[in-house]
Amino acid sequence: MIVASNFKTNHNRKSTKEFVDFINNQNYFSEVRIYPPFTALNNFELTPNIRVGAQNFYPVQNGSFTGEIGFDQLEEFDVETVLVGHSERRHVLGESQESICLKYNFAKEKECEIVYCVGEPKEIREQGIEAVMSYIWKQFDGIDIDYDELVVAYEPVWAIGTGLSASLEDIKEVLDNLRAKVKAPLLYGGSVKVETTKDILDIENCDGILVGTASWDVNNFSKMIEIADNL
Ligand code: PEP
């Protein structure tokens, strides 16, 4: 099982270190991923099942891209896992599928693990599963689904940060459809809470969770990992 925390624009350098150290000292055996803000990246000494990664990057090694972070900067902190295509980057920050593909391909060239996020907005969900899957498959345009270091996160846009999780049936239906074509591990994300973690992880074809809000409290995140460890 993979249990991942996306800090988004939360936590600072000190609180991130405390968070990562706490998680690292628990001897969990699930695969744990933590995505802090760039400014909190560090040379953490981690057990092999725990990785600290980047929420974003600019698809260059280095160069003149004021305000951006390339791989020279990530490699300084041994970053080996990145998020690509997160809904906030697509829908709030306006990233196109074209620029998402550039990032995907760059991270793939670097042999970095990619947690690739897909998911439909509310108006598409309201049209039913066929519309949902057709929307999601378009988000795979230009994406190599056979990449060995790929992890796919199904995150409905309307469920992210809203407190409204998708129903277990809806999650299962999308993950089953994804599984028919994608062999990579499949995560669900969208207002996952400690109380909903077990039921979500119990879904067939669900290999883990990507969590924002509920994971920012280290005790909650620990409980989620413990649930995954006990499955
Ligand atoms: C996310 O940021 O990927 C996410 C799922 O956030 P939240 O858990 O807050 O919905």
Side-chain angles (χ1 to χ4, degrees):
M1 285 289 172
I2 301 173
V3 184
S5 170
N6 175 13
F7 281 13
K8 312 192 193 196
T9 321
N10 298 283
H11 279 294
N12 57 27
R13 199 164 173 76
K14 180 170 179 287
S15 66
T16 298
K17 184 165 183 347
E18 287 164 1
F19 188 110
V20 171
D21 286 348
F22 182 87
I23 295 296
N24 194 47
N25 285 331
Q26 306 304 310
N27 296 320
Y28 295 128
F29 55 82
S30 292
E31 289 293 322
V32 176
R33 303 289 180 267
I34 300 167
Y35 299 92
F38 288 132
T39 53
L41 290 173
N42 215 324
N43 292 107
F44 299 107
E45 283 188 18
L46 302 168
T47 56
N49 60 319
I50 300 182
R51 291 187 192 177
V52 173
Q55 298 172 22
N56 184 37
F57 57 93
Y58 198 68
V60 292
Q61 190 65 31
N62 52 46
S64 299
F65 303 97
T66 302
E68 297 293 335
I69 299 287
F71 260 71
D72 263 0
Q73 291 77 44
L74 297 189
E75 285 166 358
E76 185 179 10
F77 299 113
D78 300 320
V79 165
E80 292 175 335
T81 178
V82 291
L83 301 181
V84 175
H86 190 277
S87 116
E88 284 150 14
R89 300 227 46 101
R90 290 181 192 268
H91 299 281
V92 181
L93 294 149
E95 258 181 42
S96 64
Q97 186 64 21
E98 197 184 1
S99 74
I100 288 168
C101 282
L102 288 175
K103 291 185 180 186
Y104 188 94
N105 288 329
F106 197 88
K108 183 182 149 195
E109 283 288 306
K110 302 302 291 185
E111 298 179 1
C112 194
E113 177 183 74
I114 301 172
V115 177
Y116 185 67
C117 307
V118 296
E120 80 289 354
K122 191 162 182 285
E123 64 274 17
I124 301 290
R125 164 53 64 188
E126 284 165 356
Q127 294 168 33
I129 185 68
E130 271 184 36
V132 169
M133 289 317 300
S134 136
Y135 187 94
I136 289 175
W137 290 129
K138 286 202 191 83
Q139 295 180 315
F140 282 98
D141 278 355
I143 298 298
D144 173 11
I145 57 170
D146 294 320
Y147 176 46
D148 277 349
E149 293 296 320
L150 168 63
V151 175
V152 172
Y154 167 52
E155 300 205 302
V157 179
W158 49 271
I160 297 179
T162 58
L164 300 171
S165 181
S167 70
L168 297 175
E169 294 72 25
D170 286 347
I171 300 171
K172 179 176 169 10
E173 197 169 34
V174 171
L175 296 185
D176 287 351
N177 273 280
L178 286 171
R179 176 56 74 232
K181 291 194 194 164
V182 179
K183 64 175 191 301
L186 302 177
L187 314 185
Y188 168 75
S191 296
V192 178
K193 300 182 183 67
V194 174
E195 305 78 51
T196 55
T197 296
K198 183 175 184 311
D199 287 346
I200 292 170
L201 291 178
D202 273 342
I203 297 173
E204 197 188 349
N205 288 324
C206 183
D207 303 303
I209 46 176
L210 173 56
V211 193
T213 318
S215 70
W216 302 335
D217 176 317
V218 74
N219 295 313
N220 281 344
F221 190 53
S222 298
K223 284 183 196 149
M224 291 173 171
I225 305 168
E226 273 165 31
I227 292 167
D229 271 8
N230 286 326
L231 285 177

